[in-house]
Amino acid sequence: MTNISNRDNQDIKLLPEDVSNQIAAGEVVERPSSVVKELIENSIDAGATEIIVDIQNGGRNLIITDNGSGISPDQVKLAFRRFATSKIQNESDLWNLSTMGFRGEALASVASIAKVEMKTRRRQDSQGTKITIHGNVITSIEPVGTGYGTTITIEDLFYNTPARLKFLKSDSTEVNHITELLQAYALSYSNISFSVINKSRETIRTPGNSDIEDTVRIIYGKEVSDNTAKVDYSSSYGKVKGIVSKPTYSRGDKQKQVFFINNRWVKVPFITKMLDEIYSDLLPSHRHPVVVLNIEIPSQELDVNVHPTKKEVRFQNYSSVYELVYRGIINALYPSRNEDNPNKEADNNIVSIEYVKPLEPYTPTNVYPERRNDNFSSGNVSSNTNRYASAPKEGTYQVQQFSFYDELREYRNHEDNREDLESIKPIGRIYELYIIGYLGNDLCFIDQHLAHERYLYEQLELDVKSKQELLTTIMIHLSEPEWENYNENRILFEQYGYEIQDFGSKTIILRSIPSVLEVSEAENVFRQVLQEMINEEGRKKALDKLTHIKKTIACKAAIKAGKHLDMEEIKILTIGPAGVGVTVTR
Ligand SMILES: Nc1ncnc2c1ncn2[C@@H]1O[C@H](COP(=O)(O)OP(=O)(O)OP(=O)(O)O)[C@@H](O)[C@H]1O
Ligand SMILES: [Mg+2]
């Protein structure tokens, strides 16, 4: 039995290499997918353009073949020694990594917990080398006839670490982990052809033609690839490329969200949260987009040496990364807002659309499904019905889109558009998404959610202190981080019409709330605003908190697409501050 006095008497000795390798393997190799990760990263580092992964027994047996550089005969043994690497030489190289490997640990770790055979040959060598290692002991090394590149065969993973073996899940779960990993790498490295064989059946084969959309089709299927927008954005700080799904496709989970930073597959919680934020108004709740992003930032800005599995990274400058990725996604989803779009000036935001003949006759009943009770529709609609009686001819129509209120205001103020100085005249709604109206002689469509959000935002701007007293106060118990955040930002809430009383034990009472909020939404919005602030550690400094609170309150309180509006509400949205998301046809 080991007790303190015993330990005091023991001499300090260096652990034998096989034991220290096994300890390291405990950190690096959690399960079969970790072995696959290490080996394909080595293949990628070796410049392979083709990687084949053959899986048997839920990944306890693996064969990984690449057409990369291979290893010279005199270095093969060394490759399996711990801390032996060809990829870095000194500490400063750690901050300028262009490879995925750098620790010189992977092969030593894998070889200490499995039976390993490697065949490898460089292009300049007339023959290759074959080495077999069982539990870190080299059992043979000899010349061999083999093709260019490297093939590693892993047998009986964890054969000498029964505790680890016991922790493995079912074969299908382990294979799922491997598949998820290989899908992510195949998507990110669309220039490499990945083949995956499970139980002698090929399950994935990507073309390796550098076309991300082709690769997405093969990995995630046609439905996903037909509904994606391409992300391709660079700034002075970095680059972001990949795809995001359009709101026409979504999933009930976040499993198809893949992030690579400087070619490393990593989890980036703050980007996941950013996606939630961006898509919260585009998708129904609990639905999530498919995302594949390759982010490139200066290598000195990224610390990858944080965790043995390299899955976590640290950034020097979170807000720059946030800004880069945010803009990349927004530009992909809303191309008309893209300030850097070189064609923007030239096309002056005017796009041509083909007029498509409607399947059903274009009658007012299709257009105004709800014209029941408002006198507005009975007056104007009937006169406007006549316009529709002569349905538009087939042909090309010009559509001008205004994404921002300011653009619309500028348009209206322009001399040529003087007739438009009067407000938009609403005439009805389509599918509870858009309000249609006249802007001078033009027909326009207004996104009701965006218009309302803008309206609320401006209301807050005009009268930040406007508040409504609650007849029944609302008691909210806050979590520790919410509480801290609330305390830090108490004054800001007060400026926006919140009157809040402490009740003790992290419980607060809302006595009044901003007048733009519905009482039924008050608690939700309060928590959401707090939550957003928690998530934005890195962004706090960069973004003006006040604007953010205003935007959040406005966005959360704004009516969603699909909500029924009465005519009074429609009028409010189309007068004055409305105009966001307006499309005008001529
Ligand atoms: N498939 C391969 N093709 C060519 N060389 C390889 C291959 N796999 C490993 N090597 C060589 O063996 C060395 C050791 O590999 P190992 O994975 O143990 O360490 P590493 O990749 O340098 O660092 P890390 O432990 O971070 O992965 C590598 O530096 C590389 O030179
Ligand atoms: Mg490696």
Side-chain angles (χ1 to χ4, degrees):
M1 196 181 114
T2 309
N3 58 35
I4 297 201
S5 59
N6 263 349
R7 254 193 252 151
D8 284 348
N9 290 335
Q10 279 177 2
D11 293 334
I12 300 172
K13 292 191 207 99
L14 270 179
L15 285 171
E17 194 167 316
D18 56 337
V19 179
S20 62
N21 284 346
Q22 257 193 30
I23 293 171
E27 292 183 339
V28 176
V29 183
E30 280 171 84
R31 57 190 340 153
S33 65
S34 339
V35 177
V36 176
K37 176 173 185 285
E38 293 300 336
L39 298 183
I40 62 166
E41 287 192 350
N42 280 348
S43 301
I44 296 170
D45 282 346
T49 55
E50 255 186 80
I51 298 175
I52 304 167
V53 179
D54 190 334
I55 309 163
Q56 300 280 351
N57 290 332
R60 273 166 290 132
N61 289 10
L62 293 161
I63 305 171
I64 292 173
T65 305
D66 70 51
N67 65 348
S69 64
I71 304 175
S72 85
D74 59 333
Q75 301 226 297
V76 173
K77 265 191 194 171
L78 196 56
F80 286 89
R81 288 286 301 273
R82 193 156 176 226
F83 303 132
T85 179
S86 58
K87 299 172 192 175
I88 62 170
Q89 270 158 25
N90 51 43
E91 190 260 342
S92 66
D93 291 344
L94 261 184
W95 291 98
N96 213 355
L97 282 172
S98 58
T99 53
M100 272 176 288
F102 57 85
R103 305 156 309 183
E105 257 186 344
L107 289 183
S109 297
V110 173
S112 72
I113 48 168
K115 298 170 187 167
V116 177
E117 178 198 282
M118 180 198 264
K119 284 190 207 160
T120 184
R121 181 178 162 200
R122 297 185 304 171
R123 302 245 171 334
Q124 61 267 48
D125 295 332
S126 56
Q127 56 183 355
T129 310
K130 180 173 121 181
I131 183 169
T132 47
I133 305 188
H134 289 183
N136 244 345
V137 178
I138 297 176
T139 47
S140 74
I141 179 160
E142 60 199 13
V144 70
T146 180
Y148 300 133
T150 303
T151 298
I152 300 195
T153 306
I154 308 290
E155 274 181 12
D156 287 343
L157 180 65
F158 298 135
Y159 79 103
N160 53 355
T161 51
R164 294 239 141 204
L165 198 57
K166 237 169 73 186
F167 275 104
L168 288 185
K169 300 275 185 306
S170 69
D171 282 5
S172 64
T173 306
E174 295 303 335
V175 171
N176 281 346
H177 281 287
I178 298 174
T179 307
E180 190 200 358
L181 170 104
L182 289 168
Q183 286 185 333
Y185 275 80
L187 285 163
S188 178
Y189 288 88
S190 54
N191 57 325
I192 298 177
S193 163
F194 283 84
S195 305
V196 183
I197 300 157
N198 183 30
K199 291 196 268 189
S200 310
R201 200 174 63 84
E202 186 173 83
T203 52
I204 299 176
R205 179 195 284 264
T206 59
N209 63 356
S210 299
D211 186 328
I212 172 90
E213 277 152 340
D214 270 0
T215 315
V216 168
R217 187 173 320 110
I218 283 162
I219 300 282
Y220 288 157
K222 187 169 176 329
E223 198 189 351
V224 176
S225 74
D226 284 350
N227 288 287
T228 56
K230 212 165 176 174
V231 178
D232 190 352
Y233 175 76
S234 8
S235 72
S236 54
Y237 184 71
K239 277 189 204 154
V240 52
K241 284 187 172 189
I243 55 103
V244 287
S245 55
K246 293 179 185 163
T248 40
Y249 181 89
S250 65
R251 293 177 52 86
D253 58 43
K254 296 184 188 173
Q255 278 178 4
K256 296 194 184 338
Q257 299 190 351
V258 170
F259 310 113
F260 274 75
I261 300 201
N262 291 5
N263 298 327
R264 290 169 192 285
W265 186 34
V266 287
K267 301 272 175 215
V268 201
F270 80 93
I271 296 183
T272 311
K273 281 181 188 131
M274 173 205 298
L275 285 162
D276 290 343
E277 200 176 296
I278 292 174
Y279 278 86
S280 67
D281 291 319
L282 298 172
L283 297 178
S285 51
H286 307 302
R287 301 296 299 175
H288 306 282
V290 174
V291 179
V292 179
L293 293 180
N294 287 308
I295 301 158
E296 256 179 61
I297 60 170
S299 54
Q300 321 80 271
E301 298 272 311
L302 183 70
D303 185 357
V304 293
N305 197 13
V306 178
H307 191 264
T309 64
K310 307 172 191 161
K311 235 186 165 171
E312 286 168 32
V313 287
R314 275 200 215 110
F315 302 97
Q316 299 272 1
N317 194 338
Y318 279 82
S319 48
S320 301
V321 182
Y322 193 104
E323 180 84 18
L324 173 73
V325 178
Y326 184 84
R327 278 179 154 265
I329 296 173
I330 293 295
N331 284 354
L333 288 174
Y334 306 97
S336 66
R337 290 191 197 173
N338 184 354
E339 282 158 26
D340 304 322
N341 176 357
N343 300 323
K344 191 177 172 184
E345 283 302 305
D347 70 18
N348 198 20
N349 247 4
I350 295 183
V351 288
S352 290
I353 58 159
E354 284 294 304
Y355 173 70
V356 182
K357 202 174 185 176
L359 290 173
E360 293 172 44
Y362 213 58
T363 61
T365 20
N366 295 63
V367 184
Y368 317 115
E370 300 158 2
R371 58 182 182 117
R372 304 173 310 264
N373 44 16
D374 19 70
N375 49 15
F376 191 86
S377 50
S378 58
N380 274 3
V381 166
S382 56
S383 64
N384 290 319
T385 334
N386 294 334
R387 291 169 186 252
Y388 279 105
S390 55
K393 292 195 188 92
E394 279 184 59
T396 303
Y397 284 73
Q398 280 193 323
V399 174
Q400 186 158 5
Q401 291 190 326
F402 299 94
S403 303
F404 294 115
Y405 173 55
D406 291 342
E407 285 176 39
L408 183 73
R409 189 162 45 197
E410 215 172 273
Y411 170 83
R412 283 188 190 163
N413 289 344
H414 197 273
E415 228 175 305
D416 297 342
N417 302 322
R418 191 158 287 171
E419 56 181 343
D420 299 334
L421 282 173
E422 56 195 302
S423 297
I424 292 167
K425 290 197 185 77
I427 54 173
R429 296 173 63 221
I430 305 181
Y431 302 133
E432 310 195 322
L433 294 173
Y434 293 97
I435 299 165
I436 35 179
Y438 285 107
L439 178 64
N441 289 327
D442 300 326
L443 190 62
C444 64
F445 301 82
I446 301 164
D447 178 321
Q448 68 180 38
H449 172 74
L450 290 179
H452 194 210
E453 184 179 328
R454 183 79 212 187
Y455 172 76
L456 297 177
Y457 182 78
E458 303 222 342
Q459 286 292 104
L460 283 168
E461 190 118 282
L462 292 176
D463 189 8
V464 289
K465 287 214 170 65
S466 145
K467 60 178 159 189
Q468 49 178 319
E469 305 267 339
L470 296 177
L471 291 175
T472 317
T473 55
I474 300 172
M475 188 182 272
I476 306 179
H477 183 70
L478 301 176
S479 66
E480 182 62 40
E482 283 175 336
W483 172 251
E484 271 175 28
N485 214 7
Y486 159 66
N487 268 323
E488 217 177 278
N489 295 292
R490 212 175 258 250
I491 295 172
L492 292 181
F493 282 105
E494 279 158 21
Q495 284 175 359
Y496 282 88
Y498 281 100
E499 210 176 288
I500 304 172
Q501 191 190 338
D502 287 352
F503 193 71
S505 326
K506 291 181 244 153
T507 302
I508 53 147
I509 293 174
L510 299 186
R511 297 205 164 276
S512 76
I513 58 174
S515 53
V516 292
L517 283 185
E518 298 253 352
V519 178
S520 60
E521 280 271 55
E523 177 174 350
N524 244 345
V525 171
F526 183 77
R527 280 193 195 277
Q528 276 166 354
V529 174
L530 269 183
Q531 200 59 44
E532 304 246 328
M533 293 169 129
I534 295 172
N535 296 341
E536 307 214 330
E537 279 310 309
R539 216 157 60 124
K540 259 184 197 164
K541 287 177 217 141
L543 293 180
D544 173 4
K545 268 195 212 172
L546 287 167
T547 312
H548 186 65
I549 291 186
K550 265 189 295 184
K551 278 189 183 154
T552 308
I553 293 179
C555 176
K556 302 295 175 200
I559 47 165
K560 299 285 182 233
K563 182 181 183 291
H564 175 71
L565 299 180
D566 63 28
M567 214 54 212
E568 270 317 301
E569 289 173 312
I570 291 182
K571 277 187 204 164
I572 289 174
L573 293 191
T574 51
I575 293 167
V580 182
V582 170
T583 305
V584 180
T585 61
R586 295 157 174 276

